[in-house]
Amino acid sequence: MFDAAPSPGPNRSPLPLAQPPVNGVPTPRPPVEARERRAAPDRPGPRRDAFFDNAKYLAIVLVAVGHAWEPLKDGSRLLESVYTVVYTFHMPAFIIVSGFFSRHFDMRPHRLKRLITGVAVPYVLFETAYTLFRNLVNGSHADISLLDPWYLTWFLVALFVWRLTTPLWQLVRHPLPLAIGIAMLASVSPDIGDDLDLRRVLQFLPYFVLGLCLRPEHFALVRRRARIASVPVFAAALAIGWWAVPRMNTGWFAHSESAQELGAPWWCGPVMTLALMGCSLLLTACFFAWVPSRTTWFTPLGAGTLYGYLLHGFLMKSGDYRGWFEHPWLHRPPGVVLVTVLAATAVTVLCTGPVRRVFRFAVEPRMEWAFRQDAAEQARSRNRRGQRQQRGQRQRQRESVGV
């Protein structure tokens, strides 16, 4: 969902031809990084894939809208059925994309640093901030507990665990069946407890592992084959959601409790895990089929979805604590539409560049001071400084001759 690294494939620069032999001795090809720099010396970096940025933005809008619907859905069967359909696929879609961009994670120092600064540190900061915010606005006296994720921060814990175990999933022969088996066991294990929201981490694990197994051509296949079929699929999902509202506990979609805690026999846990995963993957494929692959006005916002995810919770909880959602007018169709538009607008603003610059210290802290540099990283830093100095010298030379 988050850390969407630039995708290889159609955006990669072609490799230069091998150098001709000198005195009959073949000239070795330069390293890959050097070849790429030679092919595009002035390129600031690899291009982002517009499809994945679009998917991330649309998914975070659905997350915010779903949170805004939660206090309004009681008493409205139509809204609760739409809420159920959205909750079936919006987090699985986010998690699949997160897994897809975690395929290259290993235990190299620079990747571990990114994991710490981009996931672990924001979790500590926002878990603390949410608790203090709740105490300040709600007048409560809750203790800060880093072992009990609150509201939105569970995803950071999950992403940390999933990404840290990525080398393991890439090592085993059949990672997806193994992850599904773990999720099924977690659905019947009430003794796991609430520490680090581990039950939810394990039950959502198959979607992350699936993302690790996917390739760009799989997303292209979905966009090419499933777009027309997605219309009747979503229509059928809404009809089933309407039917299921009075017959099904929506707590199943949160994947945060066991079958016994939801008042069902233990065997319902594995059955519902498989059934919900089938429904989630079907609707997620339909969602991806309608995500545009071209650059749109909201494509740049896909790089800031973590900001929108973590910050919109303060707005939602403010409305909850202040009683904004209790106004009867908001529970009518015009009020629901207004709340939907406001939630989508708010999370869009929170993904923009100015907001990201203000809160980068908490969401993407640099923290060079906290880590030691190895020899290779020091050499890269010297090379970058040397390149900047050379560009500055060339610029000054051009200015001196009036170019």
Side-chain angles (χ1 to χ4, degrees):
M1 153 183 112
F2 296 108
D3 303 332
S7 176
N11 296 324
R12 285 186 69 176
S13 301
L15 297 179
L17 298 176
Q19 299 296 325
V22 178
N23 297 328
V25 179
T27 303
R29 294 173 66 91
V32 174
E33 295 180 358
R35 294 200 302 265
E36 292 179 349
R37 284 196 297 269
R38 260 182 226 175
D42 298 325
R43 188 178 63 182
R47 293 171 53 191
R48 300 180 66 93
D49 192 313
F51 168 78
F52 292 104
D53 280 336
N54 293 338
K56 289 169 54 185
Y57 167 76
L58 295 175
I60 195 61
V61 169
L62 291 176
V63 170
V65 169
H67 288 156
W69 286 345
E70 191 166 356
L72 305 177
K73 64 184 178 65
D74 293 338
S76 174
R77 186 171 179 176
L78 176 60
L79 181 59
E80 189 160 1
S81 62
V82 177
Y83 171 89
T84 299
V85 172
V86 170
Y87 260 70
T88 304
F89 73 90
H90 73 333
M91 283 309 297
F94 234 135
I95 296 169
I96 288 173
V97 173
S98 299
F100 177 79
F101 285 106
S102 300
R103 293 172 300 153
H104 303 297
F105 180 84
D106 50 29
M107 295 299 177
R108 294 182 184 179
H110 70 283
R111 298 193 192 277
L112 289 175
K113 291 176 185 177
R114 179 67 184 273
L115 180 64
I116 293 172
T117 59
V119 180
V121 172
Y123 169 72
V124 174
L125 294 178
F126 277 90
E127 180 66 22
T128 303
Y130 270 118
T131 304
L132 296 178
F133 175 78
R134 177 174 51 174
N135 292 342
L136 178 64
V137 177
N138 201 28
S140 60
H141 299 85
D143 296 328
I144 298 174
S145 175
L146 299 181
L147 295 179
D148 186 14
W150 187 70
Y151 197 37
L152 302 174
T153 55
W154 72 268
F155 183 79
L156 294 178
V157 174
L159 188 60
F160 185 88
V161 174
W162 295 334
R163 191 164 289 174
L164 199 62
T165 59
T166 294
L168 173 64
W169 299 113
Q170 294 176 335
L171 179 65
V172 298
R173 187 182 297 273
H174 303 292
L176 187 56
L178 177 59
I180 294 175
I182 293 175
M184 294 169 65
L185 291 176
S187 68
V188 295
S189 303
D191 293 334
I192 290 179
D194 297 327
D195 289 347
L196 298 179
D197 216 345
L198 189 57
R199 190 181 299 107
R200 182 181 290 183
V201 173
L202 297 178
Q203 292 192 49
F204 274 115
L205 174 64
Y207 302 103
F208 182 84
V209 175
L210 176 62
L212 293 175
C213 300
L214 293 178
R215 297 295 179 264
E217 54 268 24
H218 296 137
F219 293 94
L221 179 64
V222 168
R223 298 199 302 271
R224 188 169 60 250
R225 298 290 181 86
R227 178 165 296 184
I228 302 301
S230 63
V231 177
V233 169
F234 270 115
L238 289 173
I240 295 174
W242 173 275
W243 173 85
V245 163
R247 298 174 174 86
M248 182 177 177
N249 189 343
T250 56
W252 288 105
F253 297 95
H255 295 285
S256 59
E257 296 177 293
S258 64
Q260 296 91 323
E261 292 171 315
L262 292 172
W266 70 268
W267 56 265
C268 287
V271 172
M272 289 299 296
T273 297
L274 294 176
L276 288 178
M277 187 172 184
C279 296
S280 297
L281 293 181
L282 180 61
L283 293 180
T284 300
C286 294
F287 167 73
F288 284 143
W290 281 96
V291 172
S293 58
R294 66 184 184 280
T295 301
T296 65
W297 65 267
F298 55 80
T299 301
L301 302 178
T305 50
L306 184 57
Y307 292 81
Y309 178 81
L310 292 174
L311 294 174
H312 89 277
F314 292 102
L315 301 179
M316 297 300 172
K317 285 303 179 181
S318 294
D320 189 15
Y321 296 151
R322 300 294 186 182
W324 297 344
F325 296 105
E326 296 177 2
H327 293 282
W329 185 82
L330 293 180
H331 293 256
R332 300 172 184 171
V336 173
V337 173
L338 176 62
V339 169
T340 302
V341 173
L342 290 178
T345 303
V347 76
T348 299
V349 172
L350 295 176
C351 294
T352 57
V355 175
R356 291 162 57 190
R357 286 191 290 271
V358 171
F359 291 97
R360 181 166 286 125
F361 74 95
V363 182
E364 294 179 297
R366 297 186 182 276
M367 298 182 62
E368 287 91 348
W369 53 269
F371 303 102
R372 293 184 297 179
Q373 286 187 333
D374 56 17
E377 189 171 354
Q378 291 176 358
R380 287 193 295 267
S381 299
R382 288 194 297 268
N383 290 336
R384 287 193 294 266
R385 287 196 298 269
Q387 292 172 0
R388 287 195 296 268
Q389 293 174 357
Q390 291 176 2
R391 286 195 296 267
Q393 291 175 358
R394 288 195 296 267
Q395 180 65 25
R396 288 191 293 271
Q397 289 174 358
R398 287 194 293 268
E399 293 174 354
S400 65
V401 297
V403 177

